[in-house]
Amino acid sequence: VPFAGWSLPLQYEQGHLQSHLHTRRHCSLFDVTHMLQTRVYGRDRVRFMESLVVGDIAELQPGQGTLTLLTNEKGGITDDLIVTNTLEDHLYVVSNAGCADKDLAIFRGRAQELQATGSDVHLEVSDNALLALQGPSMARVLQAGLSDDLAKLSFMNSINTTVFGVPGCRVTRCGYTGEDGVEISVPAGRAVELAERLLDAPDVWLAGLAARDSLRLEAGLCLYGNDIDETITPAEAGLMWTLGKRRRAAMDFPGAAVIMAQVKEKPRRKPTSWGHGRGGWCCQPLLTSPCPHIPGTVTSGCPSPSLGKNIAMGYVEMAHSRAGTELTVEVRKKQHPALITKMPFVPTQYYLAK
């Protein structure tokens, strides 16, 4: 199917349901090369990145990464990114494919502004492929091709290493499924070779966009363009945990005044989740029973393969956001019961090294 200018697999021969469940029980390989990978060099690289995002990049330890938000002057979320302070001499940034062009324009524009004032910062867009290996048997499968000890690599940490004989691979312990997993940035010319080596393991299946979407929704992870966008602030999206204490105090990121004012005053709407009803809910209204007004809207929804019921994510007025609140979702002019619940729907299994 077309996706952000790429042609990507929706599913493979096993089908969406089996692929989803296989990822939860074993391990799946996702080709996520459509994501934008950027390296930021120079002694002012941290100052450059903190002038664009809300996260505390300066506090990242060597090899450590964080999810952060690129915001605009109105406080809206331009994109969600992963920024890693590599063990080498640069920051490694992974952006959403659908935001690649605008992100790159913002990065380049800001770099030019800083360079004009004598700052030392420059960008390099990576042409590496990006493979995501996700699921409970990931560590056993990948360890067979590594000399490094995966048991020492914690969630959101990264190393540059050789994987199954392919040098120059960046392995980051993260992913978009809620399971223990890694993303492997691999030189493009050897990506197929590495993928085939990983698929030699009986536990590993290929997985497509359908499983990627249902897995991330079960894990309570936002999809840019659905659950967050430039009209939604971190305060409204329940993503204030991405703002470090120092950054809140300094208020030196785009849209800081708007965002921090919302924190003080409390946003009028809140992200929440619910179950029951039926699938195909995206952009459907939520109603109070017996529907005197519309307190919210669905942003993502699908049948949950793991739970055997339908789940959704969206925004509701604060007064109706408490877990256990009964609402109604309207789908194709028919009303179905929905119950506000806590996220994630399925417990996450992120690995924290001891």
Side-chain angles (χ1 to χ4, degrees):
V1 296
F3 185 86
W6 297 71
S7 180
L8 296 179
L10 190 64
Q11 63 183 33
Y12 289 87
E13 59 184 345
Q14 295 89 358
H16 168 222
L17 176 63
Q18 290 305 315
S19 180
H20 177 113
L21 294 174
H22 185 86
T23 309
R24 290 272 182 250
R25 297 165 182 168
H26 302 287
C27 191
S28 294
L29 181 65
F30 300 79
D31 181 358
V32 290
T33 302
H34 54 291
M35 306 285 278
L36 173 67
Q37 300 174 73
T38 310
R39 302 185 187 100
V40 186
Y41 294 89
R43 66 176 179 273
D44 296 310
R45 59 187 180 273
V46 170
R47 184 161 69 93
F48 160 81
M49 189 55 59
E50 288 195 348
S51 72
L52 298 173
V53 303
V54 302
D56 194 337
I57 309 303
E59 75 171 4
L60 294 176
Q61 297 299 309
Q64 185 182 19
T66 186
L67 176 72
T68 190
L69 305 173
L70 189 68
T71 49
N72 60 32
E73 294 301 330
K74 295 181 179 180
I77 301 171
T78 302
D79 197 8
D80 56 320
L81 319 167
I82 292 180
V83 178
T84 300
N85 179 24
T86 70
L87 290 162
E88 295 75 34
D89 59 347
H90 64 277
L91 300 176
Y92 169 61
V93 184
V94 179
S95 312
N96 284 303
C99 301
D101 290 343
K102 68 175 180 180
D103 286 7
L104 201 52
I106 291 170
F107 292 165
R108 285 172 170 164
R110 184 60 177 145
Q112 289 172 0
E113 290 174 2
L114 289 176
Q115 289 163 0
T117 61
S119 294
D120 178 27
V121 60
H122 64 277
L123 309 175
E124 181 181 294
V125 177
S126 173
D127 61 359
N128 278 10
L130 192 62
L131 303 176
L133 190 65
Q134 302 282 305
S137 60
M138 176 281 296
R140 178 179 55 78
V141 170
L142 188 61
Q143 188 62 74
L146 288 180
S147 57
D148 300 87
D149 184 1
L150 265 181
K152 297 179 180 179
L153 189 68
S154 232
F155 178 60
M156 293 306 293
N157 280 260
S158 175
I159 55 172
N160 198 296
T161 187
T162 296
V163 184
F164 284 104
V166 180
C169 293
R170 175 161 300 283
V171 176
T172 306
R173 202 153 197 164
C174 67
Y176 199 46
T177 63
E179 296 295 330
D180 183 20
V182 293
E183 291 183 353
I184 307 170
S185 180
V186 52
R190 302 192 70 177
V192 173
E193 173 190 345
L194 178 56
E196 289 175 341
R197 288 298 303 274
L198 293 169
L199 289 166
D200 282 342
D203 265 15
V204 182
W205 289 5
L206 283 166
L209 284 179
R212 184 170 166 83
D213 191 48
S214 55
L215 287 160
R216 69 91 191 169
L217 183 53
E218 286 185 347
L221 300 173
C222 294
L223 174 63
Y224 192 87
N226 278 45
D227 310 303
I228 51 176
D229 59 34
E230 294 188 2
T231 69
I232 296 170
T233 70
E236 292 172 324
L239 293 172
M240 287 302 294
W241 59 268
T242 62
L243 275 73
K245 184 178 180 180
R246 177 178 63 84
R247 303 303 310 278
R248 294 184 189 217
M251 292 182 62
D252 56 353
F253 51 87
V258 175
I259 295 167
M260 297 312 297
Q262 284 187 341
V263 172
K264 186 176 181 179
E265 299 166 3
K266 302 295 182 184
R268 289 175 295 177
R269 56 181 175 175
K270 178 182 177 181
T272 190
S273 55
W274 46 90
H276 309 305
R278 52 186 292 185
W281 290 0
C282 188
C283 300
Q284 302 300 324
L286 275 170
L287 311 167
T288 53
S289 186
C291 313
H293 79 294
I294 300 175
T297 306
V298 177
T299 54
S300 291
C302 73
S304 164
S306 301
L307 301 176
K309 61 179 66 175
N310 297 297
I311 59 174
M313 186 187 300
Y315 291 87
V316 298
E317 294 171 357
M318 290 292 289
H320 301 279
S321 65
R322 186 181 298 274
T325 301
E326 294 181 358
L327 294 175
T328 299
V329 62
E330 183 176 281
V331 183
R332 301 182 190 92
K333 298 183 179 180
K334 294 184 178 180
Q335 294 169 12
H336 305 272
L339 182 70
I340 302 295
T341 187
K342 293 182 179 180
M343 289 188 288
F345 296 100
V346 174
T348 54
Q349 304 295 330
Y350 305 130
Y351 175 79
L352 299 177
K354 295 179 181 179

